[in-house]
Amino acid sequence: MTFSPELEARFDKLLKSYPPGRQRSAMIPMLMYAQDEVGSVTDELIEEVARRVGVTPLQVNEVLSYYSMLHRKPLGKYHVQICTNISCQLRDGDKLWEHACKKLGIGHKEVTGDGQISIEEVECMGACSWAPAIQVNYDFHHSMTPEKLDQLLEGLRKKQ
């Protein structure tokens, strides 16, 4: 599998940061970095990461099935995660989730027809003090309301 020179350099640095016999520890960051470049975790990517860290593709799949931030199918350009765990739920995170689904016309881990926005209901982002919280790609947004969410989504659509 071919990656950009930047990603190859990142992989090399990552693999060298672990002592011999411990390269498997690089698996999760490698999958995350590659997912950002490729768009999703494909079978080919699984085999490549397995080869580089010295494990079987089955072992990579086991990790992939555990971590919700790793995705087998492509997400939108902007992936919106909405927390509905207890702290966020107490501050209407569940209603925020319902509002987003209705506004976008999609559900959990679905992508808008134009491929721009995907949404995912998540358990906890560790931002309980600022509930309800959402994350767009790697950016956090706290104390969200339906109005703030509408503004955020409109802003994402304009970035196209």
Side-chain angles (χ1 to χ4, degrees), residues 11-157:
F11 281 179
D12 285 343
K13 182 179 178 184
L14 191 59
L15 289 168
K16 288 176 184 171
S17 69
Y18 295 99
R22 301 284 187 184
Q23 281 78 23
R24 71 183 304 150
S25 299
M27 183 189 315
I28 295 169
M30 287 178 77
L31 287 168
M32 290 181 67
Y33 295 144
Q35 175 179 262
D36 285 347
E37 182 168 299
V38 175
S40 63
V41 180
T42 63
D43 289 339
E44 186 180 14
L45 176 58
I46 290 168
E47 289 183 23
E48 183 65 21
V49 169
R51 184 185 64 74
R52 290 181 186 219
V53 300
V55 299
T56 67
L58 176 61
Q59 289 170 303
V60 176
N61 266 309
E62 289 170 345
V63 167
L64 179 62
S65 68
Y66 181 79
Y67 289 100
S68 63
M69 75 278 206
L70 299 168
H71 303 276
R72 293 283 287 164
K73 59 184 188 177
L75 303 173
K77 180 178 180 182
Y78 303 105
H79 185 57
V80 179
Q81 295 175 302
I82 301 173
C83 179
T84 58
N85 207 341
I86 190 68
S87 292
C88 288
Q89 186 177 32
L90 288 170
R91 303 220 34 221
D92 293 331
D94 54 336
K95 292 182 178 98
L96 198 62
W97 167 253
E98 291 169 10
H99 178 79
C101 289
K102 185 176 179 183
K103 174 115 180 138
L104 295 170
I106 57 175
H108 183 62
K109 292 190 178 181
E110 293 181 348
V111 183
T112 56
D114 61 4
Q116 290 298 301
I117 300 174
S118 55
I119 60 174
E120 179 179 9
E121 182 179 15
V122 297
E123 280 299 313
C124 185
M125 296 181 176
C128 302
S129 296
W130 306 282
I134 71 167
Q135 184 176 349
V136 179
N137 296 344
Y138 296 109
D139 297 325
F140 283 93
H141 301 270
H142 304 116
S143 304
M144 290 301 293
T145 64
E147 296 77 25
K148 286 182 181 179
L149 180 60
D150 287 346
Q151 290 173 354
L152 180 64
L153 293 174
E154 287 168 25
L156 296 176
R157 291 227 184 256

